């Protein structure tokens, strides 16, 4: 490590302006809506007059939201962008711009920040969004990463959380719990690595690790909705776990819900890892979080449009508020769902 460090450039050697120049040198503009990108006091964007603007921000703190002991900086950059884009897709909107602000301590080298930006640029390429600005500053301890995503949608297509209706079908995309089990694998490997003084060994192709370290947002589903003429009645992305997201939709829509345990989409690797670690796969799916799948509702009359799509599972239906929010266990017992999503504030050590 100390050997390597000699070849790395200290941040103080470059200074803020040269650093920004270096980090933003590979930047390109893809969207016509980006009129002015990096390089002035503000960026300028322009959406067609029939479009509304959606905007969201996430602040990620080293040691709380990402752990550089097992996540390469390139993946941190990629994931930080993806989690923001996921919020834009959850509005049924199309993201076109991001802003990235970083604060770093002098522990980080110029090369480390370039790795972070490699991941950011990879996500921009994958999701066809433009990096249009940000800010760069120093921190006393660790890395802070704040990302803003901006997107567009016609007003009639924007989908909120508070508009689910009684009897709507509850649907999720992809599968749930894999990212949480990926985190458990990483924690276990880290412990072994510390005890045996070896580098953790994991295969980056492993599905669970990919879901945790380099997740994707469901751009494809928003495109599918457009193609099939589907406008969900409500939608949210699954960042904190299905339990807390279904509670958000129900509480805001003033409804109840029924979810069937047997219908939860859980990947075989998730089940295997959970069984190996004496965890219950359903718990990983309900409370794990960081799946970045979409949870949405559609009217019963729209069932035909989605019933043959293997990336969408119908897991239950919206009920009246007085019926509560329940999961029907495999043995038929109803169990009330309580919020056990990741609460960033409670998770602090
Ligand atoms: P200001 O003094 O107006 O804050 P800066 O010198 O911080 O300007 O930034 C110059 C340009 O570089 C601006 O367009 C800004 O948005 C962009 N920028 C600064 N830091 C970053 C960053 N970390 N990532 C992307 N763009 C950045
Ligand atoms: Mg600045």
């Amino acid at each position: 490590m100390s050997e390597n460090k000699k070849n790395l450039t200290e941040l103080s050697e470059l200074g803020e302006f040269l650093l920004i120049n270096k980090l933003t040198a590979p930047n390109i503009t893809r969207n016509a809506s980006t009129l002015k990108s990096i390089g002035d006091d503000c960026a300028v964007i322009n959406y067609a007059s029939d479009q509304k603007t959606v905007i969201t921000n996430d602040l990620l703190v080293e040691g709380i939201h990402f752990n550089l002991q097992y996540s390469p900086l390139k993946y941190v950059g990629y994931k930080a962008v993806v989690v923001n884009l996921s919020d834009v897709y959850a509005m049924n909107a199309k993201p076109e711009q991001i802003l990235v602000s970083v604060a770093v301590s002098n522990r980080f080298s110029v090369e480390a920040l370039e790795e972070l930006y490699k991941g950011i640029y990879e996500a921009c390429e994958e999701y066809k969004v433009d990096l249009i600005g940000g800010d760069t500053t120093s921190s006393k301890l660790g890395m802070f990463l704040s990302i803003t995503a901006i997107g567009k949608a016609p007003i009639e297509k924007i989908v909120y959380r508070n508009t689910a209706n009684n009897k709507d079908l509850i649907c999720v995309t992809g599968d749930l719990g894999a990212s949480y089990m990926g985190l458990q694998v990483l924690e276990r490997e880290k412990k072994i690595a510390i005890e045996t003084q070896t580098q953790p060994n994991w295969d980056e192709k492993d599905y669970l690790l990919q879901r945790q370290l380099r997740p994707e947002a469901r751009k494809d589903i928003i495109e599918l909705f457009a193609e099939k003429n589907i406008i969900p009645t409500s939608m949210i992305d699954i960042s904190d776990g299905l339990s807390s997201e279904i509670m958000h939709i129900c509480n805001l829509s003033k409804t109840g819900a029924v979810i069937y345990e047997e219908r939860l989409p859980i990947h075989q690797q998730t089940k295997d890892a959970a069984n190996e670690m004496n965890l219950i796969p359903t718990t990983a799916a309900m409370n794990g979080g960081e799946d970045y799948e979409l949870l949405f509702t559609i009217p019963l009359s729209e069932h035909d449009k989605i019933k043959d799509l293997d990336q969408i599972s119908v897991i239950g239906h919206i009920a009246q508020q007085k019926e509560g929010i329940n999961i029907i266990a495999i043995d038929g017992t109803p169990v009330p769902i309580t919020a056990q999503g990741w609460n960033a504030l409670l998770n602090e050590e």
Side-chain angles (χ1 to χ4, degrees):
M1 180 83 191
S2 54
E3 270 300 293
N4 275 341
K5 215 161 178 175
K6 288 196 186 114
N7 304 324
L8 298 177
T9 318
E10 297 228 5
L11 288 173
S12 55
E13 278 178 53
L14 274 193
E16 186 191 332
F17 297 125
L18 286 178
L19 176 65
I20 295 174
N21 282 347
K22 201 169 172 86
L23 294 179
T24 58
N27 195 40
I28 56 168
T29 294
R30 299 177 178 84
N31 292 299
S33 59
T34 304
L35 296 190
K36 176 76 188 176
S37 184
I38 291 169
D40 213 306
D41 297 311
C42 288
V44 183
I45 61 177
N46 179 36
Y47 290 134
S49 58
D50 61 341
Q51 304 283 319
K52 297 295 171 200
T53 307
V54 300
I55 180 160
T56 179
N57 175 273
D58 268 307
L59 175 60
L60 304 174
V61 178
E62 182 185 354
I64 306 281
H65 305 100
F66 58 91
N67 188 331
L68 295 176
Q69 277 178 299
Y70 46 64
S71 188
L73 270 167
K74 196 165 92 165
Y75 289 2
V76 170
Y78 192 89
K79 181 171 173 177
V81 176
V82 162
V83 305
N84 267 274
L85 301 184
S86 179
D87 283 324
V88 176
Y89 295 127
M91 302 300 290
N92 199 29
K94 177 179 185 288
E96 294 202 339
Q97 286 84 19
I98 59 165
L99 293 124
V100 175
S101 296
V102 282
V104 277
S105 69
N106 56 16
R107 182 181 114 226
F108 292 90
S109 64
V110 171
E111 288 76 8
L113 286 184
E114 285 184 295
E115 274 301 298
L116 177 81
Y117 269 73
K118 245 187 218 163
I120 291 172
Y121 287 125
E122 263 178 36
C124 287
E125 165 66 30
E126 179 66 30
Y127 293 93
K128 306 291 177 237
V129 300
D130 298 334
L131 171 64
I132 59 164
D135 201 20
T136 310
T137 190
S138 52
S139 89
K140 285 215 166 152
L141 200 68
M143 179 183 284
F144 299 79
L145 190 56
S146 167
I147 300 195
T148 299
I150 306 167
K152 64 176 192 185
I155 185 96
E156 67 278 7
K157 288 205 171 170
I158 295 181
V159 178
Y160 299 97
R161 297 175 173 184
N162 65 346
T163 37
N165 299 310
N166 189 24
K167 298 196 168 73
D168 281 353
L169 297 173
I170 300 172
C171 308
V172 290
T173 61
D175 61 83
L176 304 176
S179 179
Y180 176 76
M181 287 318 304
L183 186 61
Q184 303 312 306
V185 171
L186 288 168
E187 292 283 356
R188 184 182 65 181
E189 294 294 323
K190 188 179 81 180
K191 232 171 115 197
I192 295 171
I194 290 169
E195 278 163 13
T196 59
Q197 302 252 323
T198 52
Q199 280 295 307
N201 113 48
W202 55 72
D203 180 354
E204 75 170 288
K205 283 185 218 70
D206 187 285
Y207 182 66
L208 304 180
L209 299 184
Q210 180 245 311
R211 295 282 284 171
Q212 168 59 219
L213 295 175
R214 200 178 185 282
E216 302 291 354
R218 296 315 300 252
K219 175 176 192 270
D220 58 331
I221 299 294
I222 270 43
E223 290 165 357
L224 190 75
F225 286 159
E227 184 190 313
K228 305 244 172 217
N229 254 313
I230 298 169
I231 300 179
T233 46
S234 70
M235 183 153 60
I236 188 169
D237 71 323
I238 304 179
S239 50
D240 295 335
L242 180 61
S243 298
S244 69
E245 314 304 359
I246 191 68
M247 289 188 73
H248 283 313
I249 289 206
C250 289
N251 293 339
L252 292 166
S253 302
K254 301 193 168 36
T255 67
V258 180
I259 282 176
Y260 297 91
E261 181 181 13
E262 63 185 7
R263 301 220 192 141
L264 295 178
I266 304 178
H267 194 279
Q268 191 57 46
Q269 276 198 40
T270 307
K271 292 181 187 167
D272 292 346
N275 291 331
E276 206 181 294
M277 293 189 220
N278 287 318
L279 297 169
I280 301 162
T282 300
T283 308
M286 293 298 291
N287 301 329
E290 295 205 290
D291 296 303
Y292 302 108
E293 296 294 344
L294 295 170
L295 170 68
F296 61 94
T297 55
I298 54 168
L300 202 50
S301 57
E302 300 269 72
H303 186 223
D304 277 354
K305 290 187 185 170
I306 56 127
K307 71 177 197 302
D308 296 325
L309 303 173
D310 54 2
Q311 62 273 57
I312 294 175
S313 308
V314 179
I315 59 166
H317 58 84
I318 296 291
Q320 288 181 46
Q321 189 167 32
K322 62 172 192 246
E323 296 171 74
I325 307 168
N326 291 285
I327 180 165
I328 310 297
I330 289 174
D331 67 6
T333 325
V335 181
I337 294 176
T338 53
Q340 289 195 28
W342 294 121
N343 185 327
L345 298 175
L346 293 178
N347 261 354
E348 239 173 300
E349 272 132 279

